[in-house]
Amino acid sequence: PYAYGGRPVSALAVPWQAQIFNPRVQPDPGNPRPTWQRAHYCGGALIAMDWVLTAAHCIDEDMVADGYKVRLGVTDIAKGDGVVYRIDRIVRHSQYKAENKDPARPPNMYGNDIALIRIVPEGAPSPRDLTRIRPIPLNRAPLAGGTPVSATGWGAVGAGEAQTASATILRVDLRLMDTPVCQARPAYGPLKVHERVFCAAHPTRSTCRGDSGGPVVLTNGAPVLVGLVSWGKKKCAGDGRPG
C-alpha cells in the first residue's frame, strides 16, 4: 500500500529513512504474509542523531511498552539488516487525537499527525556508518504548488487494498497540489486539507499503507525534509488521488 508504482532505492540513497516495527511478531505457518511483513508498521525520518520524526498515528505509549523498535540503515527488511534501536521516549503532538466525537469535525489527525521518537542503542553504542545512517535537515521555506517531492518507504505495492509490502525501500515521485484544488476533490474538503498539511499526487502512482510516517523530501537539489506521509485513500492505485 503506500508505494504503489514506486522505484527501488538503496539505503545509501536515503540514510535518514527509519522503520518502526514490532520485533515480537512470530512466524505463523497459517498466515500467508511473511513475518517481516507483519512486523513492519511505519516509516520515519532521522532528523538528529537520536531523534526520529514520524506520524503520531504510528506510535503510542502502549506500543513502546510492547517493545516496538526503530531500525536505521536498512537495505532489506526481509533480511533484518540495519541497526536496531530501543525507543527511549516519544513526544506526540499535544492536539493529536485519532478520534473526535464531534460529528461536525474530523479527527485531529488531519492537522496534527506528527510525533518524535527518541532512540537509544540496544546495547553498547557503536560508531555509525554515516554513509548509511545520518539525519536529514528540515525545510523552513514555503513550497509552491507543483513542487516535485519524493516519498520513500516499505508500503504495499499492489493495487486496490492489497497488503503486499515491499522488502526494499521504494521511492515515489509526486508533485505538490495547490491546497484549494485538493480541497475541492470529493471526500477531501477544508476540514481535512488546510494550511498545516499539503497534498501530493501523481496520475499513475501514490503512497500507500505501510508508508505512513515516512519522509517526504524535495526531489531536486539537496535533500530536505518537507513533510511526512500521513493519510491517503484506502485503495492505492494510479488514479491521481492525492495523499
Side-chain angles (χ1 to χ4, degrees):
Y2 267 6
Y4 180 80
R7 299 178 298 168
V9 295
S10 73
L12 298 178
V14 285
W16 49 83
Q17 181 80 39
Q19 181 202 20
I20 300 170
F21 71 104
N22 183 0
R24 295 188 177 186
V25 173
Q26 298 296 316
D28 181 0
N31 193 317
R33 297 178 64 212
T35 305
W36 65 266
Q37 277 194 23
R38 292 183 289 114
H40 173 70
Y41 194 68
C42 272
L46 186 71
I47 61 168
M49 292 304 285
D50 54 356
W51 288 98
V52 169
L53 194 66
T54 189
H57 79 263
C58 284
I59 193 69
D60 59 31
E61 294 293 352
D62 289 339
M63 294 168 63
V64 176
D66 285 343
Y68 277 68
K69 297 186 186 299
V70 171
R71 184 157 35 207
L72 301 173
V74 190
T75 299
D76 186 331
I77 58 175
K79 298 177 180 177
D81 63 349
V83 182
V84 175
Y85 293 85
R86 182 171 58 82
I87 297 175
D88 178 56
R89 65 188 179 101
I90 63 173
V91 184
R92 297 167 95 200
H93 194 292
S94 62
Q95 301 301 310
Y96 172 77
K97 293 181 180 178
E99 297 179 357
N100 194 323
K101 295 181 180 179
D102 183 353
R105 298 173 58 221
N108 283 344
M109 67 169 287
Y110 294 111
N112 305 311
D113 190 18
I114 190 167
L116 283 162
I117 300 175
R118 186 175 189 273
I119 57 174
V120 293
E122 275 273 72
S126 58
R128 288 184 180 177
D129 179 354
L130 296 182
T131 64
R132 300 180 67 89
I133 301 174
R134 68 176 184 272
I136 183 172
L138 302 178
N139 174 61
R140 302 295 186 186
L143 300 174
T147 299
V149 296
S150 300
T152 50
W154 295 274
V157 295
E161 299 179 27
Q163 297 295 325
T164 303
S166 172
T168 56
I169 303 171
L170 297 181
R171 177 180 124 177
V172 180
D173 294 333
L174 309 166
R175 286 185 179 271
L176 294 193
M177 180 180 287
D178 286 324
T179 297
V181 175
C182 191
Q183 288 175 338
R185 292 294 179 95
Y188 285 80
L191 291 178
K192 296 180 179 180
V193 179
H194 41 72
E195 71 280 0
R196 294 187 303 280
V197 301
F198 62 72
C199 298
H202 187 276
T204 62
R205 50 184 178 256
S206 70
T207 56
C208 198
R209 287 175 300 279
D211 285 332
S212 285
V216 181
V217 306
L218 290 180
T219 302
N220 301 320
V224 179
L225 186 71
V226 299
L228 304 168
V229 177
S230 176
W231 64 277
K233 292 304 177 181
K234 192 172 183 180
K235 291 186 177 181
C236 303
D239 57 7
R241 289 188 175 189

